[in-house]
């Protein structure tokens, strides 16, 4: 994980880098640091804590310099303290590095370096890497770029690194394997930006290169960027991307937290996810990447979905969608299990990888494994140009816009939207979904953004319920059918941002164990919408009531039966059962949000987490 931001050019580097680090804090916030080079004068500042803590320290410091590298860390090797924070220096004090990733064989390299007289101030793999680079440079009397390249040929693991030599204030070396790195290019190569994603530099340039795995770039002021393959030194002609991101999208826009802003963005995000794809007036769904590979989908023996966390929950919803609407058998796998399980994958299987960030290490590894077994891999990603978007054979973007709050919200609903479109399209083409049902679903989908707006109006009511249950030590979430994954997602949202222990279950599973937990102190959130096993869920609610549990029920507008039994009801508009997750998940997001705020938790940056999990 971790975020890297760097600048080399004619402007003062510090403000660019420190603002950039703040935008990248979703990638980790255990510690922060910055190194500045003013001529040949270097200053290095780092601290445990957030970028705001670093900013406080910097108030008293010299912040001059046109070259800077900054880092915000999610600790892997070594506890979060000042010493383990990045940037790190080599033993001579001449070479500087920031790193995102893990060097797996760092211990072996460290032992060898210690024999050669190197000493280490931190417990990090990164300090080992910069000293390895120094050792290679001295031994081979070579330039920095070559030394980095040779050193990286000897490391096992994942990295995005930026390195410079304090005697070369016009040059930065950047390299990538597994972890992302973007390079922003100023006019006439008069300035360069280096960052884990393009957000730190969007107000300065629209031109960016995303390095591919095993590539190394030599960035020199006034010169074209030179890119090489690390292993065989082959020259690479980099693709220059035109960035579409804008500043507004990555700011809070008047909301207290990114999470709340992103929850409220869902009507637009869902609309953007189906815009140009769901042609409601013509009654068709058009998806280039599905249309171009239609035979693969129609002939698929089964669909295997790989993902992690919230994206995995979207995968579970997709299982219901594909099986119910298109009658294609689906298996949903945790990417982390799939990749180490020697899974059986046949050529006729279609693998769908779901990821907001497009950088999740386990999902990426699962894709590579599936491809090596001959499967066709389709990606459902949010971040354009991300590693997963590039590694998959083809795919569909969710177009949710940047999701900055660590807890995933609009990514989930847009993933479900895209997957629902695919299921509907395939269902109709396979003849499983009659034209009239297909057109009905298309129409119903076009109403979803408006219905999400309606659910969002329940905001104040949900806040009141949150105030009642904010001190609960535990919480249960129950749902059936399409809403079982929503129960899992609701529980994940609550535990990750409020640190309340929460579990999601299929409602009927309650009797097989969890019911033992129910007493008058246990809040149970039940999704009891009218379409979809309503009577069964009503029975489950009665069982909970009989044991004095507190019921918060998500019901369909106008419901009277559950209203009589539940302690609280939150109404959502009626829709097709297959689309209820798009509505029922919203109150659960808001409930978690308000509970976390009332408990004084850092909603956008919950402890121990990071947005982009680029380590396994
Ligand atoms: C939970 C959350 C995580 C992510 C998971 C996968 O709110 O955000 O569980 O869903 O880390 O991330 P992506 O979707 O980026 O692959």
């Amino acid at each position: 994980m971790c975020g890297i931001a760097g600048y080399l050019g004619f402007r003062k580097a510090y403000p660019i880098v420190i603002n950039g680090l703040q935008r990248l804090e979703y990638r980790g916030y255990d510690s922060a640091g910055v190194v500045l080079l003013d001529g040949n004068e270097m200053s290095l500042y780092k601290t445990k804590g957030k970028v705001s803590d670093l900013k406080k320290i910097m108030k008293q410091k010299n912040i001059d310099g046109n070259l800077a590298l900054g880092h915000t860390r999610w600790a892997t090797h070594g506890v979060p303290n000042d010493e383990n924070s990045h940037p790190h220096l080599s033993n001579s004090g001449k070479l500087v590095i920031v790193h995102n990733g893990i060097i797996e064989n760092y211990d072996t390299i460290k032992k060898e370096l210690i024999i050669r007289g190197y000493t280490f101030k931190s417990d990090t793999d990164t300090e080992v890497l910069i000293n390895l680079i120094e050792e290679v440079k001295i031994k081979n009397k070579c330039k920095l770029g070559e030394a980095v390249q040779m050193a990286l040929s000897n490391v096992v693991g994942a990295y995005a690194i930026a390195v410079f030599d304090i005697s070369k204030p016009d040059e930065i070396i950047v390299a990538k394997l597994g972890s992302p790195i973007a390079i922003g290019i100023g006019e006439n190569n008069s300035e360069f930006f280096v960052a884990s994603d393009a957000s730190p530099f969007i107000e300065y340039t629209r031109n960016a290169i995303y390095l591919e795995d095993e590539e190394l770039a030599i960035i020199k002021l006034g010169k074209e960027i030179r890119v090489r393959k690390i292993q065989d030194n082959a020259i690479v002609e980099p693709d220059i991307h035109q960035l579409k991101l804008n500043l507004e999208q990555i700011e809070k826009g008047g909301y207290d937290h990114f999470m709340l802003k992103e929850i409220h963005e869902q009507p637009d995000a869902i609309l953007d996810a189906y815009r140009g794809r769901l042609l409601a007036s013509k009654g068709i769904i058009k998806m280039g990447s599905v249309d171009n590979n239609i035979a693969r989908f129609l002939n698929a023996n089964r669909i295997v979905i790989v993902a992690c966390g919230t994206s995995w929950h979207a995968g579970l919803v997709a299982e219901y969608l594909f099986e119910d609407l298109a009658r294609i058998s689906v298996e949903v796998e945790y990417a982390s299990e799939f990749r180490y399980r020697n899974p059986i994958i046949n050529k006729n299987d279609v693998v769908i990888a779901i990821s907001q960030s497009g950088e999740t290490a386990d999902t990426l590894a699962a894709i590579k494994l599936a491809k090596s077994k001959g499967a066709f891999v389709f990606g459902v990603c949010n971040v354009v140009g991300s590693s997963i978007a590039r590694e998959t054979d083809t795919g569909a973007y969710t177009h949710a816009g940047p999701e900055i709050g660590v807890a995933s919200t609009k990514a989930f609903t847009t993933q479900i939207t895209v997957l629902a479109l695919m299921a509907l399209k395939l269902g109709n083409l396979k003849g499983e979904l009659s034209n009239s049902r297909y057109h009905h679903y298309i129409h119903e989908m076009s109403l979803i953004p408006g219905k999400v707006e309606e659910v969002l109006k329940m905001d104040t009511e949900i806040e009141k319920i949150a105030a009642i249950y904010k001190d609960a030590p535990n919480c249960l979430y129950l749902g059936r059918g399409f809403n079982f994954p929503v129960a899992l997602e609701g529980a994940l949202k609550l535990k990750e941002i409020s640190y309340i222990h929460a579990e999601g279950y299929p409602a009927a599973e309650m009797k097989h164990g969890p019911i033992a937990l129910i007493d008058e102190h246990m809040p149970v959130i039940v999704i009891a919408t009218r379409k979809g096993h309503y009577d069964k869920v009503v029975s489950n609610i009665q069982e909970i009531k009989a044991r004095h549990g507190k019921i918060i029920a998500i019901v369909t507008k106008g419901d009277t039966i559950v209203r009589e039994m539940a302690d609280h009801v939150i109404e959502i508009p009626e829709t097709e059962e297959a689309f209820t997750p798009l509505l029922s998940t919203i109150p659960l997001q808001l409930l978690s949000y308000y509970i976390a705020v009332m408990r004084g938790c850092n909603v956008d940056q919950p402890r121990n987490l990071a947005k982009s999990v680029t380590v396994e």
Side-chain angles (χ1 to χ4, degrees):
M1 284 115 68
C2 304
I4 291 174
Y7 177 78
L8 169 63
F10 56 87
R11 302 175 209 254
K12 281 207 168 178
Y14 174 72
I16 298 170
V17 167
I18 204 83
N19 288 339
L21 287 183
Q22 266 177 323
R23 289 181 197 164
L24 292 172
E25 254 189 327
Y26 71 86
R27 305 182 64 83
Y29 30 80
D30 288 334
S31 67
V34 63
V35 64
L36 297 154
L37 194 63
D38 187 14
N40 290 111
E41 192 81 23
M42 183 192 70
S43 1
L44 173 64
Y45 308 101
K46 40 195 201 173
T47 182
K48 175 176 187 280
K50 304 211 153 129
V51 178
S52 55
D53 298 307
L54 177 65
K55 265 175 125 174
K56 279 184 210 143
I57 297 175
M58 298 301 288
K59 275 198 179 131
Q60 327 294 332
K61 310 287 184 197
N62 171 17
I63 52 162
D64 288 340
N66 305 110
L67 167 55
L69 290 180
H71 189 271
T72 176
R73 176 169 187 248
W74 187 83
T76 55
H77 291 77
V79 293
N81 61 20
D82 294 359
E83 272 313 333
N84 288 335
S85 308
H86 298 218
H88 287 283
L89 300 182
S90 63
N91 273 198
S92 71
K94 286 186 184 151
L95 304 186
V96 188
I97 189 169
V98 285
H99 168 215
N100 165 27
I102 293 183
I103 306 302
E104 286 169 12
N105 58 340
Y106 84 105
D107 203 34
T108 321
I109 300 172
K110 189 171 182 175
K111 284 183 184 133
E112 282 170 20
L113 289 171
I114 289 173
I115 293 168
R116 288 183 209 169
Y118 283 81
T119 56
F120 295 89
K121 292 186 182 141
S122 76
D123 307 317
T124 64
D125 50 345
T126 308
E127 195 187 8
V128 173
L129 178 57
I130 194 63
N131 281 303
L132 175 66
I133 293 169
E134 179 151 284
E135 170 68 8
V136 171
K137 186 168 183 297
I138 294 169
K139 215 165 128 194
N140 296 285
K141 297 193 180 69
C142 60
K143 291 185 177 167
L144 180 61
E146 291 166 68
V148 173
Q149 192 173 351
M150 280 189 251
L152 289 178
S153 313
N154 289 305
V155 306
V156 178
Y159 52 78
I161 56 167
V163 180
F164 71 80
D165 179 334
I166 62 168
S167 62
K168 293 262 171 65
D170 63 344
E171 185 183 80
I172 302 180
I173 311 295
V174 178
K176 168 193 158 41
L177 177 63
S179 305
I181 195 97
I183 305 169
I185 309 165
E187 223 169 295
N188 301 323
N189 301 317
S190 59
E191 58 180 345
F192 295 99
F193 307 80
V194 173
S196 300
D197 69 35
S199 63
F201 55 80
I202 47 166
E203 62 266 56
Y204 302 101
T205 180
R206 297 263 136 206
N207 297 331
I209 293 173
Y210 291 92
L211 282 195
E212 297 286 346
D213 276 351
E214 295 187 352
E215 286 181 0
L216 175 140
I218 299 175
I219 301 170
K220 218 174 164 84
L221 265 192
K223 300 253 165 69
E224 296 287 327
I225 295 176
R226 280 184 293 143
V227 181
R228 290 182 179 281
K229 279 281 179 205
I230 291 168
Q231 294 302 338
D232 60 9
N233 208 27
I235 293 173
V236 177
E237 201 52 59
D239 275 346
I240 301 185
H241 295 256
Q242 290 299 306
L243 299 173
K244 296 212 171 72
L245 200 65
N246 65 50
L247 210 50
E248 232 168 63
Q249 287 176 300
I250 56 166
E251 286 175 347
K252 282 190 203 147
Y255 286 93
D256 288 343
H257 297 96
F258 282 111
M259 183 179 175
L260 189 60
K261 176 185 173 225
E262 288 155 8
I263 291 173
H264 280 269
E265 279 173 349
Q266 287 175 109
D268 285 341
I270 292 171
L271 187 67
D272 287 342
Y274 70 62
R275 197 191 299 280
R277 293 171 172 158
L278 182 98
L279 308 178
S281 59
K282 293 187 184 155
I284 53 168
I285 292 169
K286 218 173 101 191
M287 293 180 84
S289 49
V290 178
D291 296 328
N292 295 340
N293 296 285
I294 201 68
R296 288 199 187 258
F297 281 102
L298 296 180
N299 298 329
N301 278 344
R302 56 173 190 160
I303 292 176
V304 179
I305 296 179
V306 290
C308 302
T310 290
S311 297
W312 184 78
H313 295 156
L316 288 181
V317 176
E319 178 176 20
Y320 286 84
L321 287 165
F322 283 114
E323 293 199 345
D324 187 38
L325 303 175
R327 308 301 299 147
I328 304 175
S329 143
V330 177
E331 293 197 18
V332 189
E333 302 262 7
Y334 283 115
S336 55
E337 288 298 312
F338 177 86
R339 64 180 287 195
Y340 288 120
R341 206 169 40 87
N342 194 13
I344 298 165
I345 297 287
N346 300 307
K347 282 210 165 56
N348 275 351
D349 290 339
V350 168
V351 173
I352 300 181
I354 310 173
S355 174
Q356 186 286 130
S357 61
E359 300 297 343
T360 301
D362 283 322
T363 310
L364 201 50
I367 293 168
K368 289 181 181 163
L369 178 69
K371 277 174 78 177
S372 74
K373 289 176 181 279
F376 166 71
V377 186
F378 188 94
V380 176
C381 287
N382 188 34
V383 177
V384 176
S386 55
S387 304
I388 291 177
R390 283 177 283 140
E391 189 64 36
T392 40
D393 291 305
T394 184
Y397 284 116
T398 52
H399 299 305
E403 192 181 65
I404 292 165
V406 163
S408 210
T409 52
K410 61 177 179 170
F412 180 64
T413 43
T414 52
Q415 286 164 348
I416 294 174
T417 305
V418 168
L419 292 158
L421 296 185
M422 291 171 69
L424 289 172
K425 186 176 178 70
L426 297 176
N428 185 241
L429 288 174
K430 286 187 75 186
E432 300 290 352
L433 202 57
S434 67
N435 279 341
S436 66
R437 289 296 292 154
Y438 179 61
H439 292 146
H440 169 73
Y441 273 111
I442 286 180
H443 174 68
E444 199 50 43
M445 176 60 94
S446 72
L447 304 178
I448 290 291
K451 292 186 179 180
V452 174
E453 294 270 14
E454 257 185 78
V455 183
L456 289 169
K457 289 191 187 129
M458 308 287 295
D459 197 282
T460 322
E461 248 168 84
I462 295 168
E463 193 175 358
K464 284 184 195 147
I465 300 173
I468 301 170
Y469 295 102
K470 68 176 186 354
D471 297 319
N474 299 292
C475 230
L476 271 184
Y477 286 73
L478 304 177
R480 292 183 90 123
F482 283 91
N483 283 302
F484 154 54
V486 176
L488 296 182
E489 175 59 9
L492 177 63
K493 284 296 84 101
L494 187 70
K495 70 184 117 180
E496 71 180 325
I497 61 168
S498 73
Y499 319 139
I500 294 176
H501 172 239
E503 300 290 343
Y505 281 97
E509 268 299 301
M510 201 186 49
K511 285 204 262 318
H512 301 281
I515 199 163
L517 294 169
I518 292 176
D519 61 15
E520 69 276 22
H521 305 296
M522 176 67 93
V524 186
I525 291 109
V526 188
I527 304 147
T529 44
R530 208 147 34 219
K531 282 189 187 155
H533 319 290
Y534 179 71
D535 295 342
K536 306 270 179 213
V537 178
V538 169
S539 305
N540 297 138
I541 292 177
Q542 274 161 336
E543 288 153 9
I544 299 164
K545 270 329 281 180
R547 279 138 191 107
H548 310 294
K550 298 277 180 281
I551 304 277
I552 304 162
I554 314 297
V555 297
T556 310
K557 220 172 178 175
D559 183 289
T560 51
I561 299 170
V562 175
R563 186 173 282 279
E564 278 185 13
M565 289 180 243
D567 297 271
H568 314 271
V569 290
I570 302 167
E571 288 192 340
I572 61 171
E574 179 135 28
T575 184
E576 276 302 321
E577 189 196 355
F579 298 160
T580 47
L582 293 168
L583 305 181
S584 57
T585 199
I586 314 278
L588 307 191
Q589 294 169 347
L590 286 168
L591 190 66
S592 305
Y593 170 78
Y594 284 117
I595 289 179
V597 170
M598 288 169 197
R599 288 167 70 93
C601 300
N602 187 336
V603 174
D604 283 335
Q605 296 176 343
R607 69 184 179 206
N608 305 339
L609 288 171
K611 183 86 186 148
S612 192
V613 186
T614 55
V615 293
E616 63 171 293

